[in-house]
Amino acid sequence: MTESTLSTETAATAYDGDPVFELHRGGKMAIAATASVSDKASLSMAYTPGVARVCTAIAEQPELAHTYTWVPNTVAVVTDGTAVLGLGDIGPAAAMPVMEGKAVLFKEFGGVDSIPICLDTTDVDEIVETVIRMAPSFGGINLEDISAPRCFEIEDRLKEALDIPVFHDDQHGTAVVTLAALMNALKLTGRNPESTRVVISGAGAAGVAVAKILLEFGIKDLALLDRKGVISSTRSDLTASKKAIAEVTADVTGRAGSLADALDGADVYVGVSGGTVPEELVATMADDAIVFAMANPNPEIHPDVAHKYASIVATGRSDFPNQINNVLAFPGIFRGAIDVHASSITEGMKLAAAQALAALVGDELSADKIIPEPFDPRVGPAVSAAVAEAARVDGVARA
């Protein structure tokens, strides 16, 4: 036994008996065979010489790979470890438990197989090239925990280069579930999108994606803020992604200034920043306000404070009502896209997913129930069916 092995085992004993570490011991997933190889006949079909017939058929008709391999039902969960949960840039090795967890959720909630891939590079060109080269092994690419603004360029370039779904869950999964919850919150408070004023705090991957999907939904008055205040073209410090979103948000409404300026009279607050909003600012929001404080584990506005001024409150936590949880979206989105061999995931498919989630609440709709629970067995099938139909409507379905 090497010195390295001994030191690793010694370090691991510090966590003996901890149920979380015990659950993770050896990892949370494994590869399982679907074909039995128990005698010469089955061996000759699963491997040589029988497998050669399948390879030859696929070489002649590449589309047969969708029928005779696991490729179409297998997603790569790709990260560089630069924006892991609320932990930040902890690197690819430390990111693996999260990517394994994502793979487990894909399987449990969508019946989708996935492989966690943690890349030891943060270079945009290298990440894009690596994913493109391994893409023939997968039916979809789920980008995960890659820091902004790099994540925007990586996703855009991969979508341009590949003819399989590419989906950055930190952006679009968050956006879909947020929109679903907001649809029902607006219904409860008697608001319509065109006259609702929204403030989004946090201009990273999630904040920008939430802003874009809310605009698609019909929100007209939207202010997106970073640490320096409202993102508008009056500022000289904007990245390309922030300048682009400024042109369709604050530049349209003429809003500028600080969080205090933006929140005064606002109908909706969406927090994806990890910061803290003082209570006196929450108190300036409109009557029957809606507060989605989604930072984990510490919401930007604690629910006890939010409820003093808001009619509807949601967080990213499971111990409060109305959890905004990405698991409600991404398994069903990929399931639906894979089922119709979609070449991409369109804005229409995301909107359809949000509408399907919102509709599931039905007669249970209340201030404490604006979104389904993650373990509601209807969620995956409803989202996948809506996404598949939207893919057909948008012309990206190939089956």
Side-chain angles (χ1 to χ4, degrees):
M1 186 176 292
T2 67
E3 182 178 338
S4 175
T5 303
L6 283 169
S7 63
T8 299
E9 290 186 353
T10 301
T13 60
Y15 305 104
D16 285 351
D18 185 314
V20 172
F21 281 84
E22 290 304 319
L23 182 144
H24 283 78
R25 188 179 292 277
K28 300 190 290 291
M29 57 182 294
I31 300 296
T34 60
S36 174
V37 181
S38 55
D39 52 33
K40 283 188 176 181
S42 58
L43 176 60
S44 68
M45 288 192 291
Y47 202 55
T48 185
V51 73
R53 293 173 55 200
V54 182
C55 293
T56 301
I58 293 173
E60 294 172 352
Q61 301 179 72
E63 67 273 12
L64 291 178
H66 286 279
T67 303
Y68 296 112
T69 74
W70 82 334
V71 166
N73 194 56
T74 307
V75 171
V77 180
V78 180
T79 190
D80 63 359
T82 55
V84 181
L85 298 178
L87 304 174
D89 186 356
I90 60 174
M96 181 56 84
V98 178
M99 301 309 115
E100 286 185 2
K102 202 77 173 191
V104 170
L105 297 180
F106 263 116
K107 188 67 173 179
E108 289 292 322
F109 293 99
V112 176
D113 294 317
S114 55
I115 303 297
I117 297 173
C118 299
L119 301 178
D120 190 15
T121 178
T122 60
D123 182 85
V124 169
D125 291 336
E126 290 180 354
I127 292 171
V128 170
E129 181 181 2
T130 301
V131 174
I132 289 173
R133 289 183 183 279
M134 69 183 185
S137 298
F138 299 98
I141 307 295
N142 183 87
L143 301 173
E144 192 75 24
D145 293 349
I146 299 173
S147 62
R150 298 158 51 256
C151 60
F152 304 122
E153 180 182 354
I154 290 169
E155 184 187 39
D156 287 344
R157 288 173 59 180
L158 289 175
K159 287 167 66 175
E160 180 68 26
L162 301 177
D163 66 348
I164 57 175
V166 177
F167 187 83
H168 184 203
D169 186 50
D170 303 314
Q171 291 185 61
H172 310 300
T174 304
V176 165
V177 183
T178 301
L179 175 56
L182 185 61
M183 286 175 173
N184 281 332
L186 295 181
K187 184 184 298 185
L188 277 175
T189 57
R191 290 181 168 96
N192 61 68
E194 294 78 11
S195 60
T196 296
R197 186 152 78 82
V198 177
V199 173
I200 301 174
S201 176
V208 171
V210 170
K212 288 180 177 179
I213 203 169
L214 294 190
L215 293 171
E216 287 282 340
F217 172 60
I219 297 293
K220 303 296 184 187
D221 191 341
L222 189 154
L224 179 65
L225 291 89
D226 60 12
R227 291 182 180 87
K228 296 182 179 180
V230 175
I231 294 173
S232 76
S233 294
T234 59
R235 289 171 44 180
S236 60
D237 60 340
L238 301 183
T239 62
S241 61
K242 288 182 179 181
K243 183 167 180 55
I245 200 68
E247 291 172 354
V248 292
T249 56
D251 289 5
V252 175
T253 61
R255 297 199 181 278
S258 66
L259 179 61
D261 298 318
L263 271 184
D264 189 8
D267 299 297
V268 179
Y269 169 84
V270 177
V272 283
S273 66
T276 300
V277 179
E279 180 174 347
E280 58 267 25
L281 299 191
V282 185
T284 68
M285 293 182 68
D287 293 340
D288 292 325
I290 298 165
V291 169
F292 292 178
M294 300 190 297
N296 251 323
N298 300 310
E300 293 89 348
I301 306 168
H302 192 279
D304 292 344
V305 173
H307 276 298
K308 294 181 182 179
Y309 311 99
S311 295
I312 299 173
V313 177
T315 71
R317 289 172 48 152
S318 59
D319 53 347
F320 292 106
N322 299 326
Q323 184 189 20
I324 308 292
N325 192 328
N326 287 21
V327 77
L328 290 165
F330 70 83
I333 289 174
F334 268 97
R335 176 77 273 154
I338 286 170
D339 285 347
V340 296
H341 296 175
S343 58
S344 63
I345 294 174
T346 65
E347 293 305 311
M349 292 159 75
K350 297 171 201 171
L351 287 171
Q355 289 162 348
L357 281 173
L360 282 178
V361 177
D363 293 339
E364 297 180 73
L365 182 61
S366 70
D368 286 338
K369 185 66 178 290
I370 59 171
I371 198 76
E373 297 290 336
F375 290 98
D376 185 332
R378 302 172 300 162
V379 168
V383 171
S384 63
V387 167
E389 179 56 30
R392 295 186 184 99
V393 171
D394 288 349
V396 296
R398 294 177 288 191

